[in-house]
Amino acid sequence: MFKAKRVPDDLVRCTISFTVNNQEFGITNVDPNKSLNSWLRENCMTATKVMCNEGGCGACVVSIYRPGNDSPIAVNSCLMPLYTVDGCNVITADGVGTLKQGFNEIQERLSQFGATQCGYCTPGIVMSIYSKVVSSKPFTEQDMENHLDGHICRCTGYRSILDAARSFADGNEIDIEDLCIDHCKKRQGADCGDHKVKKSVLKMPPSTTRWFRPETFEELKGIMNDKAKFSSSSSFVCANTSKGIFKSTGQPLPRLIIDISRVEEFLVKQVKTCDDKRWIAVGASVSINQLCEVLLSQQTMKQRGNIFQRAVKHLKKVAGNPVRNVASWAGNVMIKYRHREFPSDVVVVLEALKARVNVYDSVTAQMQQYGVLGNCGLMDADMAKKVIVSMDIPIPSKKEDEATVFRTYKIMPRTQNSHAYINAAFRVMINGGRFDEDVCVVFGNIRFDFDHAVRTETCLSSKEVTEDTFKTALEALRGELQPEKVDDVDVSEKFKQNSALSLFYKFYLNCVPPSHLDVRVFSATLDLERDLSSGTQAYLTNAATSPVSDPIPKLSSYIQTSGQAYFLTDLPPSVNEVHCAFVLSDRGNVDIEQINESFAAAQPGFVTLITGANFPKDLKNARFGHLDPIQPLLTSIHVDYAGQPIALVIADSEEQARSIAAQVTVSYKNQGKVLIKTRDSIQAEAFYDLNLPDIVIGYPEEAMSSAPNSVCGQIDLGSQYHFYMESQIARAETTDEGGFVIEAATQCQKWIQEAVSYVFDGLPANSIEVKTKRIGGAYGGKATNSIPIALAAALGAYVTDRPCRFHADLKTCMASLGTRLPYSLNYTVGFDDDGKLLALDWSVYANTGVSKIDSEIDDDNEFRFFADSAYFCPNRRIRRFACGSNIASGTWCRAPGSLQLSAFADTMMEHIADYLNKDSIAVKLANLYQTGQLALDGQILTDCRIQEMFECLLKKANVAKRQIAIKNYNQNNKYKKRGLAVTPMKYPVTWQSVKFTVLISIYTDGSVVVSHGGIESGQGIDTKIVQVVAYCLHIDVEHIAVQRTTTITSANSEVTGSSTTSEIVCRSAQRCCEILVERMRVVKVKQTRHLTWEELVTACFDADVDLTASCQRAPPDHKLGARTYNIWGVTATEVEVDILTGQHIVRQVDLVEDAGISLNPVIDIGQIQGAFVMALGFWLNEEMVYSSNTGKLLTDGTWEYKPPTTKDIPVKWNIELAKSKNNIGLYNSKATGEPPLCMAVSAFHAIRHCIDDSLHERHRKDGFTKLQQPLTPVNVKEALDLEPIQDFSVFSCSIM
């Protein structure tokens, strides 16, 4: 037996040292639970952002040089424990380049390519690109595109980011030395030691958790055998990335953490040989990316090319690159060990590689070896007081590799950085048309106790590769799967069963020589491959108005790339500042029995707890203030929805507030049935009594009854989370005059001002200042949703008389705040034999949740503008219903209502075409509006361009030729299908009575400052207003700065939204400039010589000319009613679908949008791309799933909620801004931010065409195919209705 030894004192890590951008830090009393991100931001190093705290968004990425390594790696600082950076050099975005020191080439290219919008995600992307570019390894454009799989950007649509990043690939001219920050390299003639900042020694409060970091296996053994410290509850940690999935907030912390990331023996990566056998020995602390490198190394490549390459391809689908850089394979295996519901790809792949895991048992002091899965495998072992040391992966001989069919599969919600719905691995040798006796068929996420398909393996073992063998094995697999659905967010048993059989079929097809396969099933042997992204952008400018219409980068883009662009989340807390967090209910339609705060109140940092019961009596408990006095900010008796705030915790720090909130226990009683889906509310007749009149055009009843043809149907659309990268935040501070100064990430300061006034018993507006510099994305989610956050902060400041900040985390934002409204439609449509519309009868239902505050359904203009889309119909009836349910009050989300209503209209065309067996493009073309026709909103169309644009796009995009190619492809491929759909758009824009105040001041040095009532949220409003001011004053843009928005300088400004704020604000700025120019002209005409701008300003000041102008310019009065102008657009989308897995890619998008003459084409194209990809997320990826019993949102983080990433965008993407006259618009411009969302439904229809082709081919098409949005693989497979036993066949002829 190994003799127990006391742990050496030098293994107890109390002090660490590292550098951040060449500044040295030494820290004592390191808190093992502190992340690198938290420490950076707490110490005012806020260039590194924070968002999800799950490693799922990439906003927190930094670059790290580890000891002895000259190549940096990108890591998620939110997951990385602070103590693991001991001895490392951390590089952040402001360490790469700054405004003061100059910007790095990476930062410059991102700016020049228009690759920033709100800028919150940008520093993390900079650091990922930096880590790749300055590494010593060559890389291709595809390598770089793959490298960025760990980032989410809601704004840009990724295309510009990828273009900028790929420009650094091999073959492009770059100077690596210019890109490198000092790491042990010279810069500007000095070595790194010459300009390191003096070491700072910092102390942290003592922690109850102790941590050890052994550097040898013997030291680790000593720790494990010290019974005074080591127990079965001690925690081994390598990178701790699992906390991104399995949260410990509010849970007891381990007493002992052992960091094994630097144990020498655990880092081994070498090929070993014994007799004629060779294997790879891989230490337990080797990261997943390092494992991939080992598998693809020269040593292992000599004997194999098939098995390891395919294994690596699968392993590269695990998480995102910053996670794979540090997450160890052994850690992933142990997550699966502790959480059997975890669908580990690593476990499945390692089992198929025949890996053997070496485990040290501290009780017996012996090494034990296990397989990963199967009988007596690691998953069945007792791992108490044991640790994984390494694994051995056998290297197949060249002969074995060539004879082995090795396939792995992963079906997941999106193309990358996602867990598996289901995964599988298959391995078998085939000799002489016969399977070897050793067969591996393993699946993940079927059920907890199932991995190897033992009966199926037996059916294949030593059998001939025949159709009969396949059928026998398929039946055996069907019998032994018996899948189970874990919870409401898990996929169905039917999907698991069908997918597992489909994956087995794909594997078996790969076992058959291609010459023996039916040619139409051959493509099923191949994965759905995506080519390198590409595209074009076309636009025209107007030199006469320069710099207006010039494609200049966003003025703040450079400081966004360095992380210096200010966000409220970056503001350091003041000395006496408190923080707050909501206690959220975890069920809806239930009564509160008791709120127990006793344990929470005893926690460090606790200040107070506010509930509905102890809410200050002199204040109104109103969630949205004056906008909805009924909904409480903190509910006290009845909980309407899961996620509703029950209490407000106030604590000394943000971390403490969140932790304490998680520890407040609430008991409930009288649980009622929860209504979640719109159809549930319809069935329960849960409607708000709005008494909305029908919208009627023509004579719909008569026209419908006389129509030669008619069809009926239903459409159900779900919700969508805004996914702004900067989560909700507000900071409130009381003033000496009894008012508030509130800084908030909001789209409407006026609403917050009015809500605070209402809640605080009529506090006058002049006592409430609200200010905002910029916000990190919004999309409608920071309009009314920002009000309860600001009210909570103000409440905290009022109760404590201290500044109070509320920075809501992602789960709070998703669970407690409103999202896009779900819609449902019941429709009947009448049409003639050519497919022309004669009558439409719609009943539209909007699920507004527990309140109708942002219902959309009661907005007549919304329906009259968008329910017709681009299609003329002389007779319509639209009924509208606002449905109540037990979800948070719905709110506006980019293109609110217009996205759904225009999609309904487009679906009518698809249904008609399906009924008449016509091409849907022809049907749409026949129904397009024409000049002189009456639109649904009452306008006589005089600017109708849609026919011309539609036909032009068909020609430019070669649609007819591609349709023929698609038809041929589909005829020759049974299990891969392609489809193409075209969607036109009419998007009326209204300014209505929306007004924004603009203040322009000219200083005596000639510089100009602008403050306006719009909110910069990434849409480029600040840049556009600078262009307009520069043009109007005839000065360079460098003279002009835009300062924060505040209710003092921009009083009474309305909500920023509807894509029109930029042009309305610019109109007011234009008027301010006219006022200033007129004043200055009086002085200018008196001059005897030409004055420079600076001289003119000085002369005007000396002449007492007022150099400040303010304007709140009302929109012009039009005879066209509420409509201001129309935006026209057409989009053609081509997709490809894997029929066996339900996965799909968007192969090509050709998009044309009428933009008038763009104020800034780079910004507007970026807006179009971001909008379109956000809509692709709505149609194809993003799904909000609730518990059917409690109503709790289950997709409340990046683990389950999947916005599009870099490889979910169109592979080929062509965008054109079509020029047109718009005399109403500012300098002939038009809005761009929301209209593209209305054309992304083309991808939905294109996938429908793929599904229809497969259904028709298998004689299962029965009428118009009803699809459930979003078209995740789960919903695609449901619509395809595959019958594996009946449908699957292998051979075209005998194999003999």
Side-chain angles (χ1 to χ4, degrees):
M1 291 285 289
F2 184 87
K3 188 176 180 180
K5 295 181 180 180
R6 186 169 180 81
V7 178
D9 290 339
D10 61 349
L11 293 182
V12 181
R13 303 294 176 180
C14 298
T15 302
I16 64 173
S17 63
F18 56 94
T19 66
V20 179
N21 302 329
N22 290 319
Q23 180 176 357
E24 293 187 21
F25 292 92
I27 304 177
T28 60
N29 295 328
V30 178
D31 181 356
N33 304 295
K34 179 71 67 178
S35 73
L36 172 60
N37 183 271
S38 294
W39 183 86
L40 287 170
R41 296 184 62 79
E42 287 169 5
N43 286 277
C44 302
M45 288 174 264
T46 55
T48 302
K49 307 306 178 188
V50 63
M51 190 269 195
C52 70
N53 279 307
E54 297 175 339
C57 73
C60 67
V61 167
V62 298
S63 191
I64 287 186
Y65 290 89
R66 285 179 161 174
N69 197 327
D70 286 334
S71 291
I73 57 172
V75 302
N76 293 107
S77 62
C78 74
L79 298 181
M80 193 166 201
L82 177 62
Y83 59 78
T84 63
V85 301
D86 187 22
C88 296
N89 186 13
V90 180
I91 309 296
T92 64
D94 56 343
V96 172
T98 63
L99 184 65
K100 181 179 180 180
Q101 298 173 349
F103 293 102
N104 182 285
E105 180 68 19
I106 296 169
Q107 296 166 323
E108 289 182 352
R109 290 197 193 178
L110 282 168
S111 177
Q112 293 161 2
F113 277 76
T116 75
Q117 286 188 32
C118 85
Y120 198 83
C121 68
T122 307
I125 292 171
V126 167
M127 297 320 301
S128 272
I129 297 174
Y130 172 88
S131 300
K132 188 70 172 177
V133 171
V134 304
S135 68
S136 57
K137 301 173 184 176
F139 60 91
T140 65
E141 291 188 26
Q142 187 64 69
D143 291 334
M144 178 59 86
E145 195 162 295
N146 296 342
H147 181 76
L148 295 177
D149 64 355
H151 292 272
I152 293 175
C153 174
R154 194 56 134 174
C155 294
T156 65
Y158 302 105
R159 192 229 19 113
S160 54
I161 295 172
L162 294 176
D163 285 352
R166 289 197 307 263
S167 70
F168 290 100
D170 288 358
N172 298 315
E173 292 187 10
I174 53 172
D175 187 342
I176 296 296
E177 292 296 325
D178 288 342
L179 298 174
C180 294
I181 190 171
D182 300 315
H183 170 53
C184 293
K185 298 181 179 180
K186 291 185 178 181
R187 185 178 75 172
Q188 299 175 354
D191 61 37
C192 59
D194 288 339
H195 43 260
K196 282 185 178 178
V197 181
K198 184 179 179 181
K199 183 173 181 178
S200 301
V201 178
L202 307 175
K203 292 185 178 181
M204 300 179 70
S207 171
T208 57
T209 301
R210 303 186 72 192
W211 68 280
F212 297 81
R213 195 188 69 210
E215 295 185 355
T216 67
F217 193 15
E218 287 302 314
E219 290 178 348
L220 175 61
K221 290 177 181 178
I223 295 172
M224 295 179 69
N225 283 277
D226 188 341
K227 296 181 181 179
K229 295 182 176 63
F230 184 75
S231 66
S232 58
S233 63
S234 299
S235 176
F236 292 104
V237 171
C238 183
N240 205 30
T241 55
S242 64
K243 75 174 186 179
I245 308 169
F246 302 102
K247 294 285 191 297
S248 60
T249 304
Q251 302 300 314
L253 299 172
R255 303 281 299 179
L256 177 67
I257 292 177
I258 305 171
D259 174 13
I260 60 172
S261 64
R262 299 190 192 180
V263 176
E264 183 178 347
E265 293 86 343
F266 286 27
L267 295 170
V268 65
K269 297 172 290 184
Q270 61 185 36
V271 174
K272 294 187 176 181
T273 304
C274 182
D275 298 331
D276 59 342
K277 295 182 180 180
R278 300 174 73 239
W279 69 94
I280 308 171
V282 185
S285 297
V286 171
S287 73
I288 295 171
N289 270 348
Q290 289 173 328
L291 172 61
C292 292
E293 291 174 1
V294 173
L295 292 174
L296 294 181
S297 65
Q298 292 262 336
Q299 281 184 292
T300 54
M301 283 287 287
K302 290 178 181 178
Q303 289 189 324
R304 64 94 206 101
N306 165 37
I307 295 175
F308 289 169
Q309 279 186 335
R310 292 186 179 278
V312 166
K313 185 178 179 181
H314 192 130
L315 291 172
K316 288 290 187 178
K317 295 178 181 178
V318 175
N321 185 66
V323 171
R324 294 195 304 272
N325 277 334
V326 293
S328 67
W329 64 266
N332 190 284
V333 169
M334 287 307 296
I335 296 175
K336 177 66 174 179
Y337 178 85
R338 296 190 187 98
H339 303 275
R340 296 306 167 92
E341 74 276 15
F342 176 60
S344 171
D345 293 292
V346 173
V347 164
V348 169
V349 171
L350 292 183
E351 178 68 7
L353 288 175
K354 301 182 178 181
R356 303 289 292 175
V357 181
N358 302 306
V359 175
Y360 173 72
D361 185 343
S362 65
V363 175
T364 64
Q366 299 294 316
M367 293 294 295
Q368 301 167 349
Q369 192 172 72
Y370 300 92
V372 181
L373 297 172
N375 291 332
C376 301
L378 183 71
M379 295 300 143
D380 294 332
D382 179 4
M383 288 296 290
K385 297 191 176 183
K386 298 178 183 178
V387 65
I388 297 176
V389 175
S390 64
M391 71 172 167
D392 300 329
I393 302 176
I395 301 176
S397 66
K398 182 177 181 181
K399 180 179 179 181
E400 181 184 355
D401 184 80
E402 291 175 347
T404 296
V405 176
F406 182 93
R407 295 293 184 273
T408 68
Y409 302 101
K410 179 177 184 178
I411 305 178
M412 50 186 175
R414 64 184 178 202
T415 55
Q416 58 191 8
N417 196 8
S418 178
H419 65 281
Y421 287 135
I422 178 176
N423 47 24
F426 306 89
R427 177 173 180 161
V428 66
M429 286 182 62
I430 300 176
N431 291 301
R434 183 181 293 274
F435 292 113
D436 188 70
E437 64 178 0
D438 183 13
V439 180
C440 175
V441 178
V442 61
F443 291 95
N445 202 34
I446 299 297
R447 63 176 192 269
F448 286 174
D449 59 348
F450 182 85
D451 41 60
H452 275 275
V454 178
R455 288 162 52 189
T456 306
E457 292 171 339
T458 302
C459 287
L460 297 180
S461 180
S462 303
K463 301 295 193 305
E464 290 186 0
V465 184
T466 65
E467 187 84 33
D468 287 344
T469 300
F470 168 70
K471 292 292 187 182
T472 301
L474 192 68
E475 283 283 6
L477 181 59
R478 182 175 70 167
E480 68 178 320
L481 283 171
Q482 299 179 20
E484 296 177 357
K485 181 179 172 72
V486 177
D487 52 30
D488 284 342
V489 80
D490 192 18
V491 294
S492 67
E493 294 93 340
K494 178 182 177 182
F495 176 82
K496 292 183 179 183
Q497 177 99 357
N498 194 294
S499 296
L501 296 175
S502 296
L503 295 181
F504 178 75
Y505 179 47
K506 289 173 76 74
F507 155 70
Y508 201 96
L509 290 174
N510 279 280
C511 298
V512 180
S515 59
H516 294 80
L517 286 176
D518 183 334
V519 66
R520 297 179 66 251
V521 304
F522 175 76
S523 63
T525 66
L526 308 174
D527 294 330
L528 195 61
E529 297 289 352
R530 177 189 170 90
D531 295 331
L532 189 68
S533 300
S534 65
T536 61
Q537 302 84 43
Y539 54 84
L540 296 173
T541 62
N542 183 4
T545 60
S546 180
V548 172
S549 92
D550 288 353
I552 65 174
K554 281 189 61 180
L555 298 181
S556 60
S557 59
Y558 285 98
I559 58 172
Q560 287 176 338
T561 63
S562 66
Q564 293 173 290
Y566 172 81
F567 294 92
L568 177 53
T569 54
D570 301 333
L571 180 69
S574 59
V575 175
N576 65 335
E577 188 167 312
V578 293
H579 300 254
C580 57
F582 280 142
V583 177
L584 303 179
S585 61
D586 59 8
R587 60 194 63 202
N589 196 18
V590 69
D591 293 333
I592 297 173
E593 185 173 50
Q594 183 181 22
I595 300 174
N596 187 344
E597 63 177 283
S598 55
F599 180 77
Q603 301 307 302
F606 178 83
V607 175
T608 190
L609 182 85
I610 306 172
T611 67
N614 69 5
F615 202 90
K617 302 300 182 184
D618 52 339
L619 307 184
K620 296 184 180 72
N621 185 2
R623 176 181 173 88
F624 294 109
H626 64 299
L627 295 177
D628 184 2
I630 298 175
Q631 275 198 81
L633 179 65
L634 303 173
T635 189
S636 58
I637 299 174
H638 184 74
V639 176
D640 292 316
Y641 69 97
Q644 188 169 10
I646 290 176
L648 185 70
V649 169
I650 300 177
D652 288 334
S653 74
E654 178 181 294
E655 188 175 316
Q656 289 170 334
R658 292 176 179 177
S659 177
I660 293 170
Q663 297 175 69
V664 175
T665 58
V666 182
S667 57
Y668 304 92
K669 60 183 180 181
N670 304 326
Q671 176 71 63
K673 180 182 178 181
V674 290
L675 299 177
I676 301 297
K677 296 182 179 180
T678 310
R679 293 289 170 186
D680 296 337
S681 297
I682 295 172
Q683 185 175 2
E685 297 184 352
F687 303 125
Y688 289 104
D689 187 14
L690 299 182
N691 295 316
L692 298 173
D694 294 352
I695 297 175
V696 180
I697 300 293
Y699 304 95
E701 289 83 2
E702 294 87 340
M704 190 71 72
S705 63
S706 61
N709 308 286
S710 66
V711 293
C712 302
Q714 294 183 342
I715 304 173
D716 297 310
L717 303 180
S719 187
Q720 182 180 31
Y721 176 61
H722 305 82
F723 216 92
Y724 29 76
M725 295 299 291
E726 174 203 33
S727 56
Q728 300 276 356
I729 183 170
R731 181 184 184 275
E733 187 170 0
T734 57
T735 68
D736 55 359
E737 298 172 340
F740 291 96
V741 175
I742 299 173
E743 189 169 0
T746 180
Q747 291 175 250
C748 189
Q749 296 178 342
K750 181 172 178 281
W751 287 349
I752 288 179
Q753 188 181 51
E754 292 171 345
V756 171
S757 174
Y758 177 84
V759 168
F760 285 84
D761 198 27
L763 187 67
N766 63 8
S767 297
I768 307 164
E769 180 189 358
V770 184
K771 56 185 180 179
T772 309
K773 174 58 179 174
R774 63 172 60 84
I775 58 178
Y779 326 107
K782 292 177 181 174
T784 54
N785 271 353
S786 67
I787 297 174
I789 304 299
L791 287 175
L795 176 62
Y798 176 81
V799 169
T800 63
D801 203 23
R802 295 163 63 180
C804 182
R805 182 186 311 225
F806 188 178
H807 185 194
D809 60 13
L810 176 62
K811 290 186 180 296
T812 297
C813 292
M814 294 194 73
S816 68
L817 302 176
T819 56
R820 187 186 296 279
L821 271 65
Y823 273 62
S824 288
L825 172 71
N826 295 340
Y827 67 88
T828 302
V829 53
F831 49 94
D832 65 18
D833 292 337
D834 294 323
K836 294 196 72 170
L837 286 170
L838 298 176
L840 283 167
D841 190 337
W842 286 8
S843 292
V844 182
Y845 304 87
N847 186 347
T848 69
V850 298
S851 168
K852 58 183 186 301
I853 178 174
D854 293 335
S855 72
E856 301 168 7
I857 202 83
D858 56 353
D859 187 343
D860 280 9
N861 284 338
E862 191 80 21
F863 278 76
R864 292 184 181 276
F865 281 0
F866 302 113
D868 55 349
S869 187
Y871 305 116
F872 173 72
C873 180
N875 305 285
R876 300 175 185 262
R877 179 183 296 278
I878 302 175
R879 302 174 182 86
R880 296 170 290 163
F881 304 89
C883 299
S885 64
N886 299 111
I887 62 175
S889 300
T891 193
W892 301 308
C893 184
R894 201 172 192 175
S898 55
L899 181 151
Q900 297 95 328
L901 294 172
S902 58
F904 290 162
D906 210 52
T907 304
M908 302 300 102
M909 302 297 105
E910 296 285 338
H911 197 161
I912 292 170
D914 183 83
Y915 180 86
L916 296 174
N917 196 26
K918 289 180 176 288
D919 181 4
S920 63
I921 294 176
V923 172
K924 292 177 182 182
L925 185 58
N927 282 284
L928 292 177
Y929 271 119
Q930 298 179 14
T931 298
Q933 286 182 328
L934 179 69
L936 181 57
D937 63 2
Q939 62 170 308
I940 301 295
L941 293 173
T942 58
D943 64 339
C944 187
R945 305 187 60 207
I946 193 61
Q947 292 254 356
E948 169 197 347
M949 291 176 65
F950 196 101
E951 292 173 351
C952 183
L953 178 75
L954 295 181
K955 184 177 180 180
K956 281 187 176 182
N958 294 315
V959 168
K961 184 177 180 180
R962 286 163 58 194
Q963 282 183 305
I964 295 172
I966 288 170
K967 182 177 180 180
N968 291 335
Y969 180 88
N970 290 344
Q971 288 175 344
N972 291 303
N973 292 276
K974 186 174 182 180
Y975 294 114
K976 291 272 185 17
K977 297 295 182 182
R978 292 177 181 172
L980 187 150
V982 180
T983 296
M985 173 193 71
K986 173 178 69 69
Y987 195 99
V989 169
T990 177
W991 291 340
Q992 295 184 347
S993 60
V994 178
K995 292 174 281 190
F996 297 90
T997 302
V998 174
L999 174 69
I1000 298 180
S1001 299
I1002 304 173
Y1003 294 100
T1004 54
D1005 64 352
S1007 62
V1008 178
V1009 66
V1010 181
S1011 177
H1012 60 83
I1015 304 295
E1016 174 61 72
S1017 58
Q1019 80 279 48
I1021 186 173
D1022 287 353
T1023 301
K1024 288 182 176 181
I1025 201 170
V1026 166
Q1027 289 174 277
V1028 169
V1029 171
Y1031 172 72
C1032 292
L1033 297 181
H1034 305 290
I1035 59 177
D1036 293 335
V1037 295
E1038 289 78 11
H1039 283 85
I1040 308 164
V1042 180
Q1043 293 298 339
R1044 68 179 183 272
T1045 301
T1046 168
T1047 50
I1048 293 177
T1049 58
S1050 300
N1052 305 318
S1053 293
E1054 304 283 352
V1055 60
T1056 295
S1058 302
S1059 303
T1060 59
T1061 305
S1062 293
E1063 56 189 316
I1064 298 174
V1065 166
C1066 285
R1067 282 176 51 81
S1068 291
Q1070 182 188 49
R1071 179 56 188 149
C1072 286
C1073 291
E1074 291 170 355
I1075 294 169
L1076 290 168
V1077 168
E1078 186 60 33
R1079 292 175 187 168
M1080 298 173 76
R1081 182 178 290 114
V1082 177
V1083 176
K1084 185 176 182 181
V1085 296
K1086 295 179 181 179
Q1087 305 304 310
T1088 58
R1089 65 178 180 86
H1090 174 74
L1091 300 182
T1092 64
W1093 168 254
E1094 291 80 2
E1095 290 172 334
L1096 177 59
V1097 170
T1098 299
C1100 290
F1101 179 76
D1102 292 340
D1104 295 331
V1105 173
D1106 185 357
L1107 295 177
T1108 296
S1110 179
C1111 175
Q1112 189 180 78
R1113 191 175 188 181
D1117 183 24
H1118 298 299
K1119 297 179 180 179
L1120 298 174
R1123 183 188 64 85
T1124 303
Y1125 56 80
N1126 292 313
I1127 299 172
W1128 305 93
V1130 190
T1131 295
T1133 300
E1134 181 180 340
V1135 303
E1136 183 170 355
V1137 176
D1138 187 325
I1139 301 300
L1140 293 176
T1141 66
Q1143 293 178 297
H1144 42 69
I1145 58 174
V1146 181
R1147 288 173 47 83
Q1148 181 171 334
V1149 167
D1150 297 273
L1151 185 154
V1152 180
E1153 182 172 320
D1154 161 32
I1157 300 177
S1158 169
L1159 292 176
N1160 186 316
V1162 168
I1163 288 175
D1164 285 344
I1165 285 177
Q1167 286 284 287
I1168 289 171
Q1169 290 168 166
F1172 191 84
V1173 170
M1174 185 171 181
L1176 283 182
F1178 175 79
W1179 290 112
L1180 307 182
N1181 302 105
E1182 300 175 47
E1183 187 170 21
M1184 302 192 76
V1185 180
Y1186 299 83
S1187 166
S1188 57
N1189 295 322
T1190 66
K1192 182 179 180 181
L1193 179 67
L1194 302 176
T1195 52
D1196 60 353
T1198 58
W1199 177 249
E1200 292 290 359
Y1201 193 79
K1202 299 299 180 183
T1205 59
T1206 54
K1207 289 189 178 179
D1208 296 297
I1209 70 172
V1211 178
K1212 184 177 181 181
W1213 197 354
N1214 303 313
I1215 297 176
E1216 179 184 351
L1217 298 185
K1219 185 177 180 181
S1220 66
K1221 290 184 178 180
N1222 181 26
N1223 296 329
I1224 300 170
L1226 184 70
Y1227 303 112
N1228 279 295
S1229 67
K1230 292 187 176 183
T1232 56
E1234 292 186 323
L1237 282 95
C1238 298
M1239 296 187 283
V1241 69
S1242 54
F1244 188 83
H1245 294 320
I1247 293 175
R1248 181 198 302 280
H1249 297 169
C1250 297
I1251 293 170
D1252 283 347
D1253 192 285
S1254 178
L1255 290 171
H1256 185 269
E1257 187 176 63
R1258 291 178 287 114
H1259 308 291
R1260 291 209 180 93
K1261 190 171 186 317
D1262 182 18
F1264 187 58
T1265 306
K1266 180 175 172 57
L1267 302 180
Q1268 181 57 56
Q1269 167 276 336
L1271 284 179
T1272 61
V1274 176
N1275 289 334
V1276 171
K1277 289 277 287 182
E1278 180 68 26
L1280 281 165
D1281 192 28
L1282 280 174
E1283 292 289 348
I1285 301 299
Q1286 178 181 338
D1287 291 344
F1288 295 166
S1289 61
V1290 179
F1291 297 101
S1292 58
C1293 57
S1294 172
I1295 195 172
M1296 300 301 296

